[in-house]
């Protein structure tokens, strides 16, 4: 399988590459460069864009509106002077370029919105199309300048580019390029990655460059590219920068017959790369992953540029490339492709239609032939292919939805309702069973909602439990000498950085007693930072709970602000949801994590005389240990909650965008319910596996809380869940989870459940999910009652609530009555 696939791959590649020969400097036959609205020619780099009137004869428009601004956009490339003038179109307007040589042409469109007289270009909304392809529709540029690059195969004698304002709006353009592309730049076919095969028809495809990246090297502006392309550096796209290192040897690059050419990419792209940070460790086995935002619903043409400037000899480097977790190139050996070191080469791949808006590319070692595991990437181009209607505009893309159909869900709900009482009973007794077992194990008389992974005993007592584990004082984090911190982190070795946040960098370290720790080193002292530093030490020294990350010590010598925590092997919850290419979590794992985090927050809110409000609840502040047990972290913003007689704390609004409680924002009043709101956002994040704010998405999807609530209210939450969960969540578990998140996001704090209620409901969602494994609930429940009654009694005794009450409320819950009453009774009976 592996062998044959590799063979296919090379046969195809070899049949294409010989066509690409050494090219002298490419001179485009068609070369229209227009600085629209400009009174005089504008020179950028070695190119001259013509004044507006020079190509005016190509334009048909109702009314001439030439606009200018004195402000200059900040662009990454040296093209900012092109943006200072524009042509504004009040009606449909068209440029007609005569084409001297048919074939591929770049179309580059430059936009920069400014205000000119009565025209506010920030609110212009319009479409741009050629005769065959829609390039943009419902398009608005709000603030920054943008340059859109397309490549279309022109088969007629003219290329028409039409700008059409939306109803009652205007269109505009700051500069435009129509330039011939070498015929051999894009071949007709390429390998497909899922299912593996061959795609042909690229010659007629319209494509849009979405990302063009120079791995391990600097930004490359059009002046240094024979085809005037811009390349961005890759650092900002690396998911875990500490896993990657760069290498550079530009002079070594030697274009060879059968490989890539200068027109494929310049030496500065091929002569720099990003590789695994494996330190010659023969056991290295990890991926280096980059992640990009893309428009869902399109297929993409991906070009991977390689040039082995790191090996000492041929046949040393074997690696795999993954795209969105598809194995895209397996056991790749550049030596076979080009038979030379430092010889440029590229591979084209076509993806299936992409479902989410994330696109990740990973490189990792191949398991075979690998004495020195390594993997490299020199350059990357991600190009959007036109959809079946010939459009490249996200506005018109047909998004493939592979969630369950509504019909199916309806059926499951129908069936479940029939046997619902029995399911509940089974669920409840199943929970009680676990509870009884665990309670014995822990020798705890505490009320604890049904435990998931409470099996291991936990040394830190909490106010909430009667487990005696010594005084809190004995557990207070202690001061650690700066020298010890330096030693633990190899003097703050950059390669040990595991996270970077507003506060500073986080390093992985090992104390001299062998304890692995996470060392958070604050940026040089600021008042704000200092306050947060103190809060964190104070809070974490007082609060010990298995679902709160523990503080091991701190260091404030030499004006440093360093916090040392227990090391959480699996990193943040966020990194497991998206952005890192990590394997996706199962629904059960996600529920258990949410339950753990809820338990930590519940403890904060209730486990102490005064409630503590976390204020920065988000998926990046929920950490996971090696067993995926969740712990809440980052107490820098925490505040002690209201006294008994008050209902809120008034305070400046702080927290993270996308998670902020709107009520807190409006009224600047803080209650525990603000954490509940943020936690609700986390719940949706866990379900949908996307960022809470994603500005690259269509407007109505940008804010996850709003977007998810819309679908939840329609009862169609299943339409937007993480595709990897599709078909794996029981509908009643999803419904419970959705309702819980919805309640958390209630507009007013008073309408939101307490963290305890949330916890209970999540437990319940988990039971509903697991009920499926129990087989026929009706049968099992009868058996279970008999077997488990002693534990049930035990539990009831602890909780001072009768089993009858419990069951009744459980069933009630399905008819819409909250279980919170039962829950609060349980809590109250325990007393604080
Ligand atoms: C302006 O650009 C046009 C088109 O490139 C060129 O023909 C013309 O000579 C230029 N004018 C000046 C003054 O450079
Ligand atoms: C900018 O536009 C104004 C009219 O609003 C015009 O008077 C001026 O000459 C223009 N400046 C340039 C550099 O085109
Ligand atoms: C132009 O429109 C933008 C976006 O709606 C708005 O923020 C800005 O205030 C407007 N500027 C003027 C001068 O009207
Ligand atoms: C624009 O107006 C036309 C005619 O009034 C209407 O048919 C069309 O739906 C409108 N388009 C949008 C996007 O509102
Ligand atoms: C453009 O498309 C035509 C078919 O319509 C094809 O014959 C030609 O090779 C293509 N040119 C390029 C440069 O892709
Ligand atoms: C082109 O690249 C060289 C280094 O390879 C650099 O010195 C030069 O500044 C670059 N030129 C431009 C215009 O980016
Ligand atoms: C690299 O990523 C792929 C795709 O996500 C995954 O299947 C593979 O196990 C990863 N390899 C390592 C060593 O983590
Ligand atoms: C792109 O558009 C052409 C027609 O212009 C169509 O034949 C082709 O299938 C489209 N490509 C995709 C990937 O849908
Ligand atoms: C245009 O885009 C906006 C924001 O993304 C969206 O709300 C609106 O529905 C779109 N309109 C059309 C006609 O697609």
């Amino acid at each position: 399988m592996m062998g044959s696939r590799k063979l296919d791959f090379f046969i195809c590649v070899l049949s294409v590459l010989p066509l690409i020969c050494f090219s002298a400097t490419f001179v485009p036959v068609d070369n229209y460069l227009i600085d629209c609205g400009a009174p005089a020619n504008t020179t950028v780099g070695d190119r001259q864009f013509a004044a507006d009137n020079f190509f005016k004869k190509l334009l048909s428009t109702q009314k001439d509106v030439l606009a200018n601004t004195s402000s200059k956009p900040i662009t990454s490339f040296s093209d900012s002077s092109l943006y200072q003038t524009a042509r504004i179109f009040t009606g449909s307007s068209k440029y007609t370029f005569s084409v001297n040589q048919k074939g591929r042409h770049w179309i580059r469109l430059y936009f920069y919105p400014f205000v000119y007289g009565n025209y506010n270009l920030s609110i212009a909304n319009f479409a741009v199309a050629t005769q065959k392809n829609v390039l943009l529709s419902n398009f608005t540029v709000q603030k920054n300048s943008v340059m859109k690059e397309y490549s279309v195969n022109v088969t007629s004698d003219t290329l028409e580019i039409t700008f059409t304002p939306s109803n009652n709006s205007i269109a505009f353009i700051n500069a435009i390029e129509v330039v011939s592309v070498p015929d051999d730049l894009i071949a007709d076919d390429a390998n497909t990655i899922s299912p593996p095969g061959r795609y042909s028809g690229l010659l007629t495809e319209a494509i849009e460059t979405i990302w063009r990246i120079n791995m391990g090297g600097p930004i490359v502006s059009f002046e240094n590219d024979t085809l005037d392309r811009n390349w961005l550096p890759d650092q900002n796209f690396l998911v875990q920068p500490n896993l990657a290192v760069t290498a550079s040897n530009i002079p070594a690059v030697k274009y060879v017959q059968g490989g890539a050419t200068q027109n494929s990419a310049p030496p500065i792209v091929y002569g720099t790369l990003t590789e695994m940070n494996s330190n010659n460790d023969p056991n290295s086995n990890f991926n280096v992953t980059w992640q990009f935002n893309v428009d869902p619903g399109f297929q993409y043409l991906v070009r991977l540029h390689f040039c082995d400037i790191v090996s000492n000899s041929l046949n040393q480097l074997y690696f795999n490339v993954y795209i969105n977790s598809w194995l895209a190139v397996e056991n790749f050996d550049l030596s076979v492709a080009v038979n030379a070191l430092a010889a440029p080469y590229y591979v084209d791949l076509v993806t299936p239609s992409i479902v989410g808006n994330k696109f990740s590319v990973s490189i990792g070692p191949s398991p075979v032939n690998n004495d020195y595991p390594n993997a490299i990437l020199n350059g990357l181009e991600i190009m959007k292919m036109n959809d079946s209607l010939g459009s490249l505009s996200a506005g018109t893309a047909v998004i493939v939805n592979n969630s369950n159909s509504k019909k199916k869900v309806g059926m499951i709900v129908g069936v479940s309702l029939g046997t619902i009482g029995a399911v509940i009973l089974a669920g409840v007794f199943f929970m009680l069973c676990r509870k009884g077992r665990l309670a014995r194990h822990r020798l705890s008389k505490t009320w604890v909602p049904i435990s998931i992974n409470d099996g291991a005993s936990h040394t830190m007592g909490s106010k909430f439990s009667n487990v005696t584990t010594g005084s809190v004082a004995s557990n207070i984090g202690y001061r650690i000498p700066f020298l010890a911190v330096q030693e633990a982190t190899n003097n703050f070795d950059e390669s040990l950085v595991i996270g970077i946040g507003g506060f500073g960098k986080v390093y992985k370290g090992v104390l001299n007693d062998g304890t692995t720790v996470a060392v958070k080193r604050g940026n040089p002292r600021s008042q704000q930072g200092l306050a947060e530093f103190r809060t964190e030490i104070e809070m974490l020294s007082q609060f010990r709970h298995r679902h709160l990350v523990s503080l091991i010590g701190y260091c404030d010598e030499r004006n440093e602000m360093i916090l040392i925590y227990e090391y959480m092997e699996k990193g943040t919850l966020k990194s497991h949801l998206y952005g890192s290419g990590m394997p996706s979590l199962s629904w059960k794992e996600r529920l258990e994590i949410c339950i753990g985090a809820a338990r930590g927050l519940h403890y904060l809110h209730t486990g102490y005389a005064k409630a503590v409000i976390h204020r920065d609840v988000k998926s990046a502040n929920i950490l996971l240990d090696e067993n995926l047990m969740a712990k809440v972290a980052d107490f820098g913003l925490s505040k002690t909650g209201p006294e008994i007689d008050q209902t809120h704390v008034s305070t400046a609004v702080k927290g993270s965008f996308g998670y902020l409680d709107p009520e807190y924002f409006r009224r600047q009043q803080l209650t525990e319910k603000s954490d509940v709101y943020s936690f609700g956002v986390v719940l949706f994040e866990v379900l949908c596996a996307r960022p809470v704010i994603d500005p690259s998405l269509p407007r109505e999807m940008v804010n996850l809380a709003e977007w998810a609530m819309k679908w939840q209210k329609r009862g169609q939450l299943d339409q937007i869940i993480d595709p990897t969960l599709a078909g794996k969540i029981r509908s009643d578990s999803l419904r419970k989870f959705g309702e819980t998140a919805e309640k958390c996001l209630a507009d007013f704090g008073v309408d939101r459940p307490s963290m305890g209620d949330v916890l209970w409901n999540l437990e319940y969602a988990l039971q509903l999910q697991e009920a499926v494994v129990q087989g026929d609930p009706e049968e099992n429940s009868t058996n279970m009652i008999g077997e488990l009654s002693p534990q049930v009694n035990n539990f009831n005794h602890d909780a001072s609530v009768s089993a009858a009450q419990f069951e009744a409320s459980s069933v009630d819950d399905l008819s819409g009555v909250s279980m919170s009453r039962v829950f609060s009774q349980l809590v109250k009976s325990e007393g604080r």
Side-chain angles (χ1 to χ4, degrees):
M1 165 71 200
M2 181 193 293
S4 83
R5 189 160 160 206
K6 190 175 155 189
L7 198 64
D8 280 350
F9 175 70
F10 285 116
I11 290 169
C12 298
V13 165
L14 290 176
S15 65
V16 170
L17 279 177
L19 302 174
I20 303 172
C21 26
F22 287 91
S23 52
T25 314
F26 172 73
V27 181
V29 174
D30 294 313
N31 193 23
Y32 297 95
L33 308 174
I34 314 174
D35 188 5
C36 304
N41 289 358
T42 305
T43 302
V44 292
D46 53 1
R47 296 193 299 167
Q48 202 174 53
F49 279 68
D52 187 278
N53 63 8
F54 194 84
F55 284 119
K56 190 166 181 301
K57 56 185 181 299
L58 305 183
L59 176 66
S60 82
T61 186
Q62 293 156 336
K63 186 173 156 195
D64 276 325
V65 187
L66 308 187
N68 66 45
T69 180
S70 55
S71 72
K72 234 183 197 185
I74 297 161
T75 73
S76 305
F77 308 99
S78 34
D79 56 4
S80 64
S81 51
L82 289 178
Y83 293 100
Q84 291 190 280
T85 57
R87 222 177 217 286
I88 295 175
F89 305 119
T90 53
S92 184
S93 305
K94 183 163 77 184
Y95 278 99
T96 306
F97 298 94
S98 61
V99 170
N100 296 312
Q101 189 178 74
K102 293 178 188 169
R104 276 202 181 273
H105 285 67
W106 299 118
I107 299 176
R108 296 193 179 105
L109 304 173
Y110 297 76
F111 301 101
Y112 175 52
F114 53 80
V115 175
Y116 178 76
N118 293 329
Y119 298 105
N120 185 348
L121 301 186
S122 297
I123 55 174
N125 185 291
F126 55 100
V128 183
T130 67
Q131 298 101 308
K132 287 201 298 198
N133 305 104
V134 177
L135 306 181
L136 293 163
S137 65
N138 193 11
F139 178 63
T140 295
V141 196
Q142 255 153 11
K143 278 203 293 284
N144 303 325
S145 61
V146 293
M147 193 271 275
K148 296 268 181 188
E149 182 184 277
Y150 304 88
S151 146
V152 298
N153 180 349
V154 184
T155 49
S156 49
D157 295 330
T158 58
L159 172 65
E160 295 172 5
I161 300 180
T162 309
F163 293 82
T164 311
S166 303
N167 290 348
N168 305 319
S169 192
I170 52 171
F172 72 96
I173 180 78
N174 298 70
I176 191 166
E177 285 182 41
V178 172
V179 179
S180 300
V181 174
D183 283 344
D184 57 15
L185 189 67
I186 306 279
D188 189 50
D189 52 0
N191 277 5
T192 55
I193 57 175
S194 175
R198 214 49 199 167
Y199 184 96
S200 47
L202 287 173
L203 287 185
T204 51
E205 208 84 23
I207 59 184
E208 176 184 351
T209 311
I210 305 297
W211 297 105
R212 183 178 284 130
I213 311 290
N214 179 18
M215 265 65 194
I219 193 166
V220 178
S221 200
F222 52 87
E223 302 96 314
N224 275 359
D225 182 293
T226 53
L227 303 181
D228 299 312
R229 291 164 299 198
N230 293 324
W231 301 74
L232 288 169
D234 67 324
Q235 280 88 345
N236 292 338
F237 302 95
L238 277 167
V239 174
Q240 283 176 289
N242 55 315
L243 294 182
V245 289
T246 62
S248 165
N249 189 353
I250 299 165
V253 174
K254 193 158 167 281
Y255 292 89
V256 299
Q257 190 81 43
T261 69
Q262 283 266 7
N263 286 339
S264 313
I268 191 162
V269 171
Y270 282 117
T272 59
L273 58 74
T274 294
E275 62 181 323
M276 287 171 64
N277 183 11
S278 53
N279 267 326
N280 283 337
D281 175 354
N283 298 319
S284 296
N285 191 18
F286 56 84
N287 291 330
V288 173
T289 301
W290 296 263
Q291 193 176 63
F292 305 90
N293 285 332
V294 296
D295 290 326
F298 290 92
Q299 291 189 264
Y300 287 82
L301 170 62
V302 182
R303 178 165 288 187
L304 304 162
H305 295 273
F306 300 107
C307 181
D308 184 356
I309 53 165
V310 294
S311 295
N312 301 320
S313 64
L314 290 173
N315 305 106
Q316 233 182 30
L317 178 65
Y318 297 83
F319 58 97
N320 290 347
V321 182
Y322 306 87
I323 291 177
N324 270 6
S325 80
W326 287 298
L327 177 54
V329 183
E330 188 173 20
N331 197 24
F332 186 48
D333 178 6
L334 269 168
S335 310
V336 173
V338 280
N339 198 27
L341 292 176
Y345 188 78
Y346 68 79
V347 171
D348 282 347
L349 297 164
V350 171
T351 72
S353 174
I354 298 293
V355 175
N357 66 327
K358 293 295 178 213
F359 195 100
S360 67
V361 175
S362 305
I363 53 173
S366 148
V368 282
N369 299 337
N370 243 349
D371 294 339
Y372 301 99
N374 196 5
I376 64 168
L377 188 58
N378 302 61
L380 173 68
E381 293 174 86
I382 300 177
M383 297 169 271
K384 191 202 272 181
M385 293 162 55
N386 68 254
D387 67 15
S388 56
L389 303 171
S391 174
L392 283 163
S393 164
T396 56
V398 181
I399 296 182
V400 181
N401 198 329
N402 47 6
S403 338
N404 285 337
S405 74
K406 247 204 104 192
K407 210 168 180 183
K408 197 168 153 203
V409 173
M411 201 184 72
I412 295 171
V413 171
V415 170
S416 306
L417 282 175
T419 54
I420 205 80
V423 172
I424 296 303
L425 276 175
V428 166
F429 284 107
F430 179 56
M431 297 182 309
L432 296 184
C433 152
R434 289 179 148 216
K435 159 64 191 161
R437 197 177 69 230
L438 294 166
R440 271 201 314 274
H441 191 89
R442 288 160 47 104
L443 299 174
S444 160
K445 291 180 135 194
T446 356
W447 171 83
V448 183
I450 301 57
S451 294
I452 306 304
N453 41 18
D454 270 5
S457 79
H458 160 55
T459 52
M460 307 301 184
S462 72
K463 284 254 176 179
F464 204 57
S465 87
N466 296 336
V467 183
T468 42
T469 50
S471 73
V472 167
S474 71
N475 291 323
I476 285 185
Y478 56 93
R479 208 183 229 120
I480 295 182
F482 185 67
L483 278 175
V485 182
Q486 266 184 315
E487 194 187 311
T489 57
N490 202 2
N491 198 17
F492 303 102
D493 189 338
E494 285 297 314
S495 72
L496 295 174
V497 171
I498 51 174
I500 297 176
F503 180 87
K505 287 184 180 166
V506 184
Y507 301 82
K508 181 178 177 177
V510 182
L511 295 179
N512 58 15
D513 68 358
T515 319
T516 307
V517 291
V519 175
K520 183 155 121 182
R521 187 188 199 188
N523 293 323
R525 274 191 183 175
S526 64
Q527 272 323 103
Q528 151 117 14
L530 190 59
E532 290 176 9
F533 179 63
R534 288 196 176 126
T535 310
E536 181 120 15
I537 296 175
E538 227 172 85
M539 293 289 172
L540 282 176
S541 305
Q542 287 175 47
F543 291 90
R544 296 286 177 174
H545 187 271
R546 60 188 283 104
H547 292 291
L548 301 183
V549 73
S550 325
L551 184 69
I552 289 176
Y554 65 95
C555 169
D556 57 1
E557 274 173 50
R558 313 188 189 180
N559 265 5
E560 290 279 353
M561 296 189 292
I562 298 172
L563 294 163
I564 296 124
Y565 305 88
E566 61 177 319
Y567 179 69
M568 299 291 284
E569 186 82 43
K570 295 256 163 89
T572 68
L573 167 59
K574 185 175 180 174
S575 69
H576 288 262
L577 294 176
Y578 47 81
S580 65
M582 286 196 218
S584 80
L585 299 167
S586 71
W587 181 234
K588 179 169 178 247
E589 285 167 335
R590 294 184 205 206
L591 282 173
E592 289 177 352
I593 289 165
C594 293
I595 288 167
R599 194 169 283 150
L601 289 171
H602 175 59
Y603 170 73
L604 273 187
H605 290 176
T606 58
Y608 195 55
K610 268 193 244 165
V612 170
I613 304 166
H614 185 286
R615 291 219 292 171
D616 201 11
V617 175
K618 54 181 178 181
S619 59
N621 281 342
I622 296 171
L623 303 181
L624 304 175
D625 73 7
E626 69 278 12
N627 301 316
L628 289 178
M629 187 171 86
K631 299 194 183 205
V632 178
D634 212 333
F635 294 79
L637 296 179
S638 304
K639 278 254 193 305
T640 312
E643 302 282 354
I644 315 293
D645 54 337
Q646 290 173 298
T647 56
H648 66 265
V649 180
S650 190
T651 173
V653 173
K654 286 186 183 145
S656 297
F657 199 43
Y659 295 91
L660 261 188
D661 170 12
E663 190 180 53
Y664 171 31
F665 199 80
R666 273 197 310 273
R667 302 172 52 195
Q668 312 229 329
Q669 292 173 351
L670 190 62
T671 71
E672 300 98 299
K673 297 299 181 71
S674 305
D675 284 353
V676 173
Y677 181 93
S678 308
F679 191 73
V681 179
V682 171
L683 293 180
F684 279 131
E685 202 183 354
V686 162
L687 182 67
C688 305
R690 52 152 282 189
V692 295
I693 296 287
D694 187 343
S696 69
L697 290 174
R699 202 170 305 161
E700 75 277 11
M701 295 175 68
V702 167
N703 184 320
L704 172 62
E706 278 172 34
W707 174 241
M709 281 294 271
K710 202 153 120 191
W711 289 89
Q712 164 64 16
K713 286 192 169 135
R714 284 187 210 157
Q716 296 179 347
L717 199 55
D718 58 303
Q719 300 291 304
I720 59 163
I721 62 172
D722 180 352
T724 67
L725 294 176
K728 300 198 179 126
I729 309 185
R730 285 208 56 183
S731 61
D732 41 3
S733 177
L734 176 60
R735 191 166 43 83
K736 184 88 244 164
F737 189 87
E739 284 168 5
T740 309
E742 181 182 13
K743 285 180 194 151
C744 291
L745 296 191
D747 285 340
F748 298 100
V750 291
D751 299 325
R752 293 177 204 145
S754 71
M755 227 33 240
D757 290 358
V758 173
L759 176 50
W760 168 258
N761 280 287
L762 291 174
E763 300 267 17
Y764 187 56
L766 177 65
Q767 299 309 325
L768 290 173
Q769 177 69 17
E770 299 210 315
V772 79
V773 189
Q774 303 296 304
D776 184 341
E778 203 141 14
E779 274 177 27
N780 285 352
S781 60
T782 358
N783 294 337
M784 285 168 80
I785 290 170
E787 281 167 25
L788 302 174
S789 48
Q791 282 142 3
V792 172
N793 288 338
N794 193 10
F795 176 77
N796 290 338
H797 174 73
D798 284 351
S800 317
V801 64
S802 79
Q805 215 179 330
F806 207 115
E807 287 159 31
S809 306
S810 310
V811 177
D812 271 352
D813 186 55
L814 285 142
S815 45
V817 179
S818 162
M819 291 181 112
S820 63
R821 270 179 298 127
V822 181
F823 185 87
S824 55
Q825 279 174 36
L826 290 171
V827 175
K828 282 185 189 120
S829 69
E830 184 58 32
R832 299 209 192 136

